[in-house]
Amino acid sequence: MKHFTIAALTLATSMGATHAQAEVRFNGFASIVAGMNVEDKKFRNSPYDEDLSFKPESKFALQATADLGNGLSAIAQVIARGEENFDAEFEWAYLKYEFSEHHSLRAGRLRLPFYKYSDYLDVGYAYPWLRTPKAMYRLLFSTYDGISLISQFTLGEIDVTSNFLFGSTTDTFFSTTAPVDGTLKNWRAVNVQLSKDWWNAYIAYFGTEVDIPHAATEAAAGNLEASAIAIDASYVGVGNNIKLDEDYGDFFGLGFTLEPGNWFVGAEWSTISIEDTLYLDSSQWYLSVGHRFDSLMPYITYQQTDTDRNTSTAQLFPAPVQATVQTIYDGLQFEYKAVTLGLRYDFHPRATLKIEYNMFHDIIDLNQATRLGTATSPEDLDMLAVGVDLLF
Amino acid sequence: MKKSFCISLITACLFASSFGWAETAIVIHPENQNTLSIEDIKRIFLGKKKSYPDGTKAIPIDQKEGSAPRTAFTFVILNKSDQQMRAYWAQQLFTGKGTPPKDFRNNTDVKKLVSTNPSLIGYIDSKAVDDSVKVIHTF
């Protein structure tokens, strides 16, 4: 009886209209992952080498949610990643104001909702795989500072959630090839999700001004412009077609997930492009199928990424320089296919064990820093990882 | 043969005790005049709907995970497994979209809370139902 009174009081306090003080809730999640490449090779989309390592994909996170009452809440998530030497960083930190049953406004540090699983990219427990398919989930930055308006409504029996956002990202880019600090300015984006019982789908569009003073790109632009001017002075400024100087970049993506009965089918597709810069537009997609047998869920994923050859930028330069420009652009080719076999085992209500075997095929990465495979002799690489995802 | 029979018998008993023999009732405050479809109930418990049709606030409350009414409710009404629900709430929680319903120890606690707060909606074993709450659906 006494127990009940306490419970009732707690409920009355937390659910009533008046809040004497904020109710703070702590939750956390963690992944401990060990992996290795099966051969002695390094590949840009594998965080491992041939030695078994626990570091690159392990992480611990703690989230505090403070309900301030009347629709206002504050949320902060701190994450310590093995790849960052477990230095804790704020992944999310924002205020949320639910100003009506259907709309909420968020401001602060938020996740860029490019993909189906963007919002809980780090919460391994929340998706079937050991990791999200890397060909699709290839952008290495995931947060922005700004605002977001989330609206939820229904169309017939379909739930619709839209997210309009505005902000910017300051980060270290090209971290796998040549790290450099840069800014993605003026994000304006929309992500619309539709869902009903056993299916959901989304479509997303993002635009930003990319400003990254990438040393090798700046140097190439300078040298090529100098060569062009030497031929004809009217080519002044032609190097700006190569620099990452506030050029418009955009992302377009869509995907769906079907979960009829014990089946899981997920697919996503996207394109990424940046105008007037030393960058190759790319497209990438995956299809994943799994089936739940009680606590076991085997799955198979096919994924692929391709870059489009750029021949138009070279045309902007005088004829004698064109071949050099073309060679530089062609040197950015990055393509591969992969088949992933995995198994999820829910051995505990708050923990799941996952094992994943990745077979990368037809790798063509001509980038000097990460070179592996060529068009005439593409490379293959297998990667193995075992991990435990926890919720607490 | 013998072994698999034993296993299916155990499974059958577990199944029966969870869903077959013990009927579960979805209950609200007696003064709550709203009519709710299964879809409405589902949406309230998934945090997608936060008010009753008449505009008053709707607050779902759960029983403990692993209890017979909770297992039945998750399976029959929400059409999900416990694991799917944990994954769902992990997604909602870590994206700041919502928090799972609070859970209470037993039928008695849920019934008492529902009988004292017109915003609440819960579920209890049908045998525990009395005049203090209103049954809107049984399964």
Side-chain angles (χ1 to χ4, degrees):
Chain A
M1 190 59 205
K2 194 171 182 185
H3 257 104
F4 170 72
T5 316
I6 295 168
L9 268 170
T10 315
L11 194 73
T13 328
S14 62
M15 291 175 170
T18 52
H19 290 251
Q21 76 191 87
E23 187 198 357
V24 182
R25 177 180 187 127
F26 288 95
N27 295 93
F29 58 86
S31 295
I32 294 94
V33 182
M36 63 187 288
N37 288 344
V38 176
E39 292 155 85
D40 183 12
K41 284 180 199 167
K42 290 214 66 162
F43 173 44
R44 202 203 291 194
N45 270 33
S46 163
Y48 298 102
D49 56 22
E50 80 280 13
D51 297 317
L52 185 74
S53 172
F54 281 78
K55 231 173 144 181
E57 295 189 288
S58 295
K59 60 206 154 203
F60 292 83
L62 193 61
Q63 176 169 307
T65 310
D67 183 353
L68 307 170
N70 296 327
L72 191 63
S73 50
I75 292 146
Q77 190 184 102
V78 174
I79 188 161
R81 297 175 194 276
E83 61 180 355
E84 310 276 352
N85 271 316
F86 292 106
D87 286 341
E89 255 183 66
F90 276 98
E91 188 75 17
W92 302 79
Y94 63 93
L95 275 180
K96 176 183 167 188
Y97 182 50
E98 286 183 73
F99 58 94
S100 81
E101 167 153 1
H102 302 290
H103 304 281
S104 59
L105 194 62
R106 301 184 297 169
R109 171 158 296 184
L110 294 153
R111 185 58 62 80
L112 287 159
F114 289 121
Y115 312 114
K116 159 72 184 160
Y117 298 100
S118 288
D119 278 355
Y120 37 96
L121 216 46
D122 297 309
V123 192
Y125 189 94
Y127 46 78
W129 318 293
L130 183 132
R131 70 178 75 79
T132 49
K134 280 280 179 261
M136 178 77 191
Y137 289 72
R138 59 171 297 187
L139 293 171
L140 298 173
F141 50 90
S142 57
T143 58
Y144 73 102
D145 298 300
I147 55 167
S148 140
L149 172 68
I150 293 186
S151 306
Q152 290 175 296
F153 47 95
T154 52
L155 269 182
E157 292 193 327
I158 299 171
D159 287 316
V160 182
T161 305
S162 67
N163 183 356
F164 288 88
L165 67 89
F166 186 80
S168 67
T169 299
T170 305
D171 202 351
T172 302
F173 295 90
F174 300 102
S175 60
T176 54
T177 51
V180 57
D181 289 339
T183 311
L184 305 175
K185 294 175 183 168
N186 301 324
W187 279 117
R188 50 265 193 206
V190 58
N191 178 309
V192 178
Q193 287 188 43
L194 306 177
S195 68
K196 197 163 153 37
D197 302 338
W198 56 274
W199 65 266
N200 65 69
Y202 80 92
I203 185 160
Y205 182 81
F206 285 70
T208 180
E209 272 100 48
V210 184
D211 194 16
I212 305 172
H214 185 234
T217 306
E218 297 283 314
N223 292 335
L224 292 167
E225 182 169 325
S227 309
I229 293 172
I231 294 161
D232 183 337
S234 69
Y235 283 100
V236 167
V238 74
N240 293 341
N241 293 304
I242 289 181
K243 288 181 189 169
L244 276 165
D245 51 352
E246 302 201 359
D247 292 311
Y248 188 71
D250 68 359
F251 172 97
F252 175 62
L254 43 90
F256 65 84
T257 309
L258 312 175
E259 290 182 278
N262 288 313
W263 287 94
F264 165 85
V265 180
E268 290 181 79
W269 172 88
S270 68
T271 60
I272 301 167
S273 68
I274 308 175
E275 288 172 357
D276 305 330
T277 194
L278 184 54
Y279 183 85
L280 293 184
D281 297 352
S282 67
S283 62
Q284 43 278 319
W285 63 276
Y286 74 85
L287 171 68
S288 184
V289 178
H291 190 278
R292 280 191 193 84
F293 301 93
D294 293 325
S295 53
L296 287 176
M297 181 174 176
Y299 57 86
I300 180 165
T301 307
Y302 175 82
Q303 52 183 314
Q304 166 172 342
T305 181
D306 296 289
T307 42
D308 296 339
R309 191 163 185 245
N310 174 329
T311 51
S312 59
T313 307
Q315 306 300 319
L316 302 171
F317 285 81
V321 189
Q322 287 178 5
T324 313
V325 176
Q326 194 59 52
T327 306
I328 291 172
Y329 272 87
D330 288 346
L332 295 178
Q333 189 180 1
F334 177 64
E335 303 187 357
Y336 71 89
K337 303 171 176 69
V339 174
T340 306
L341 298 175
L343 181 69
R344 172 184 176 130
Y345 172 38
D346 292 302
F347 68 98
H348 182 278
R350 302 268 145 205
T352 178
L353 174 74
K354 292 170 181 173
I355 176 160
E356 215 175 85
Y357 195 79
N358 254 282
M359 291 164 282
F360 297 109
H361 293 298
D362 298 340
I363 301 170
I364 303 171
D365 181 1
L366 301 183
N367 193 298
Q368 283 181 345
T370 53
R371 186 183 290 271
L372 184 69
T374 61
T376 47
S377 63
E379 291 270 359
D380 291 347
L381 173 67
D382 289 2
M383 172 173 88
L384 174 69
V386 182
V388 174
D389 297 319
L390 307 166
L391 283 183
F392 50 90
Chain B
M1 182 62 204
K2 211 170 186 177
K3 196 173 175 186
S4 76
F5 172 73
C6 284
I7 293 170
S8 42
L9 190 68
I10 291 167
T11 316
C13 286
L14 283 173
F15 192 86
S17 66
S18 298
F19 318 121
W21 296 340
E23 195 185 58
T24 308
I26 297 172
V27 294
I28 54 176
H29 191 272
E31 283 166 19
N32 186 338
Q33 298 301 320
N34 288 288
T35 331
L36 298 172
S37 65
I38 297 291
E39 191 58 30
D40 291 333
I41 295 168
K42 206 163 143 178
R43 294 172 59 80
I44 290 172
F45 274 87
L46 292 175
K48 291 177 176 173
K49 195 171 162 65
K50 289 161 188 153
S51 56
Y52 292 112
D54 69 2
T56 57
K57 198 174 180 187
I59 303 169
I61 57 174
D62 260 330
Q63 297 219 23
K64 292 283 179 208
E65 197 177 302
S67 67
R70 167 81 172 256
T71 308
F73 184 81
T74 305
F75 186 79
V76 179
I77 302 296
L78 301 180
N79 266 317
K80 303 268 188 206
S81 67
D82 285 342
Q83 190 277 325
Q84 283 174 308
M85 284 313 295
R86 285 190 296 264
Y88 174 79
W89 284 116
Q91 293 169 6
Q92 300 294 307
L93 194 62
F94 292 116
T95 56
K97 285 190 184 131
T99 48
K102 287 186 190 295
D103 53 6
F104 293 90
R105 276 187 311 161
N106 52 37
N107 294 319
T108 318
D109 281 9
V110 170
K111 185 171 62 181
K112 282 210 170 175
L113 284 165
V114 170
S115 70
T116 52
N117 184 342
S119 285
L120 299 183
I121 175 167
Y123 50 83
I124 57 176
D125 189 313
S126 288
K127 286 191 288 250
V129 169
D130 59 31
D131 289 348
S132 68
V133 291
K134 180 158 93 181
V135 175
I136 53 166
H137 184 70
T138 58
F139 58 92

